[in-house]
Amino acid sequence: MTELQEETTLAIKMKRMAVTLLDMQQSRFVSASQTMDLTQLESGVYSKFFESYIDATMNSPKAVAGKFLDRDNDILTKMNRYIEFTDDTHFLSLANDLSNKLYQIMQNVSNSNGSVFVAHLEMIGEDYILLLKLDPKDAVQIDLETLELSTIENILPDATSRVQKCALIRMDYNPLEENVYVLDKQSDGEPAKFFMETFLQATPIASDKKKTKMLMKELYEKIAESMEDEEKPRLQRVIDDEFEHGKYVELDASVHNIYTAIAPENNDDNFVEQGAKLFINEFTDRNPDFTPMFEVKRDDLNVIYKSAEGEIFFRYDKRLDDKIEVHQDQVNGTFTITIRDADAVDFKLRKKTL
């Protein structure tokens, strides 16, 4: 029986990719001589390998958003040459330059061999350069028919493994916004700082997505602790309305708007002024680097169900949560999706080819 599971999906289009080798033990850098034939990659390589890394780099709690310290950054200079001439020759030059730069820097701090994947990809309508450094391992495989064991060399780790480095660089450079996203799971502390600051020459910042999540979460938790349970759904609706995706907000104004919207009728002025002021003071004390104005970016607007192998995909706006029910019958192994008041949402059943 196929089990439905809630899952994040990414719309990724790979345009070019090359692979280099960092042989730290032999002090040897092996450059890429040609780009990969992407038509030969199995679909599972995208969904189970590259997409998982990219999703973790954009959305994992351990991922860090940052921005380059200045527009003369060496990596930006190399990337801009490719942006000017987006062909295989200039892409190979970019891939080898970035990998060799990482190799030169790592010589003083690591003896760990690795493969470096460099790719030009499009995600949600925006172009990125992906740089993924992995430490291959050997694995043991069992033949289920003969029960014999064999060694498989150079197995690439998945996105949940410990040793890995991944960077996503936005090709449309904007010095005022985050333009690089980093996942460094080798260890906490200095190695991650080294990869971000020494190699990428970037500084960590809180992305608009993380700022949105942080502020919405802390506002709800702070206000909800003094509310009755039956009042909490209204608080959530008020917060959802204030932090509409794509809207530019300002910390003080948004906090006052929310406190005003849920204020009790008999004590609204005192509740708003004191409550909002206390929240803002405590929040900014805990987050001194939080920039007060930002664009609301949310990834919690849809509820997504997807079968384990992707055969079935079902998504709906989370505001319809009270109208939609997904029920699994454990006896006969069926799923039933019930949509109540479908006419009220102008519901029409149609097939769509992806």
Side-chain angles (χ1 to χ4, degrees):
M1 179 182 66
T2 301
E3 181 180 359
L4 286 171
Q5 58 184 358
E6 195 167 334
E7 183 171 313
T8 302
T9 61
L10 295 170
I12 295 173
K13 178 182 179 182
M14 288 285 185
K15 295 185 176 181
R16 288 185 173 89
M17 185 186 297
V19 185
T20 64
L21 175 65
L22 312 185
D23 188 344
M24 308 307 297
Q25 296 176 357
Q26 299 295 325
S27 298
R28 186 170 62 109
F29 169 68
V30 182
S31 62
S33 59
Q34 61 184 12
T35 60
M36 295 181 65
D37 182 358
L38 297 179
T39 63
Q40 299 301 311
L41 286 181
E42 298 179 1
S43 60
V45 174
Y46 285 110
S47 61
K48 296 180 181 179
F49 188 76
F50 288 108
E51 281 197 4
S52 64
Y53 273 106
I54 293 167
D55 183 47
T57 304
M58 296 295 286
N59 300 308
S60 166
K62 291 185 176 295
V64 179
K67 64 179 182 179
F68 293 109
L69 296 175
D70 58 70
R71 63 173 61 251
D72 294 327
N73 181 287
D74 181 50
I75 289 180
L76 281 177
T77 301
K78 297 178 188 300
M79 187 175 70
N80 286 336
R81 295 194 199 108
Y82 170 62
I83 292 174
E84 186 176 358
F85 302 101
T86 52
D87 53 35
D88 282 0
T89 299
H90 286 84
F91 176 75
L92 276 174
S93 178
L94 172 66
N96 288 326
D97 283 351
L98 291 180
S99 301
N100 190 41
K101 176 182 174 72
L102 181 60
Y103 167 73
Q104 296 295 335
I105 291 174
M106 287 181 58
Q107 281 188 313
N108 298 322
V109 296
S110 175
N111 62 356
S112 175
N113 297 337
S115 299
V116 178
F117 293 79
V118 181
H120 174 190
L121 61 92
E122 179 184 323
M123 179 170 60
I124 320 178
E126 189 168 5
D127 286 292
Y128 293 82
I129 293 297
L130 166 72
L131 189 136
L132 177 59
K133 191 265 183 181
L134 301 173
D135 296 350
K137 302 293 182 183
D138 295 342
V140 176
Q141 183 182 50
I142 184 170
D143 187 314
L144 295 180
E145 293 185 0
T146 65
L147 301 182
E148 294 181 352
L149 301 179
S150 59
T151 301
I152 304 176
E153 298 180 345
N154 295 320
I155 297 294
L156 296 177
D158 61 25
T160 62
S161 300
R162 187 179 69 87
V163 180
Q164 58 195 344
K165 287 175 170 57
C166 188
L168 274 169
I169 305 169
R170 294 171 68 178
M171 294 177 67
D172 184 12
Y173 173 72
N174 185 334
L176 300 179
E177 297 181 356
E178 68 265 18
N179 38 55
V180 58
Y181 305 89
V182 176
L183 178 71
D184 187 343
K185 298 184 70 174
Q186 179 167 320
S187 64
D188 296 330
E190 289 305 316
K193 184 178 179 181
F194 166 84
F195 185 60
M196 169 74 82
E197 297 183 1
T198 306
F199 171 65
L200 294 169
Q201 295 178 312
T203 184
I205 61 172
S207 68
D208 285 350
K209 183 191 294 185
K210 288 194 174 182
K211 285 190 281 189
T212 300
K213 285 184 177 180
M214 182 191 310
L215 186 54
M216 290 180 65
K217 178 177 182 291
E218 294 201 21
L219 269 168
Y220 179 83
E221 291 178 348
K222 178 63 177 179
I223 300 175
E225 66 185 17
S226 60
M227 300 180 73
E228 300 294 335
D229 287 344
E230 60 270 17
E231 297 175 327
K232 293 178 182 178
R234 182 169 69 94
L235 170 62
Q236 186 63 67
R237 287 193 297 271
V238 167
I239 294 176
D240 281 336
D241 290 343
E242 177 65 25
F243 294 97
E244 179 184 355
H245 181 73
K247 174 182 175 183
Y248 281 87
V249 297
E250 197 274 329
L251 174 64
D252 285 18
S254 290
V255 171
H256 276 85
N257 288 344
I258 290 169
Y259 271 85
T260 299
I262 54 91
E265 295 181 0
N266 60 347
N267 194 22
D268 56 340
D269 290 340
N270 188 50
F271 177 84
V272 173
E273 291 307 317
Q274 291 191 10
K277 182 179 179 180
L278 178 62
F279 176 86
I280 292 168
N281 288 340
E282 292 179 346
F283 183 82
T284 53
D285 284 346
R286 288 194 304 275
N287 307 284
D289 297 328
F290 191 95
T291 51
M293 182 171 287
F294 60 94
E295 181 184 1
V296 175
K297 292 187 178 181
R298 298 178 57 179
D299 56 4
D300 63 335
L301 301 176
N302 294 311
V303 177
I304 298 174
Y305 288 93
K306 184 179 179 183
S307 58
E309 299 300 325
E311 307 93 334
I312 299 173
F313 181 87
F314 178 52
R315 177 179 64 197
Y316 61 87
D317 190 309
K318 77 169 192 174
R319 290 171 294 184
L320 300 178
D321 231 1
D322 60 339
K323 298 181 182 296
I324 296 179
E325 177 183 344
V326 180
H327 175 71
Q328 179 182 4
D329 190 319
Q330 298 284 357
V331 177
N332 58 28
T334 62
F335 281 88
T336 303
I337 300 172
T338 303
I339 305 175
R340 292 183 289 274
D341 301 325
D343 292 338
V345 294
D346 192 25
F347 177 78
K348 294 178 181 178
L349 186 63
R350 63 189 177 95
K351 292 182 179 180
K352 181 178 180 181
T353 302
L354 299 177

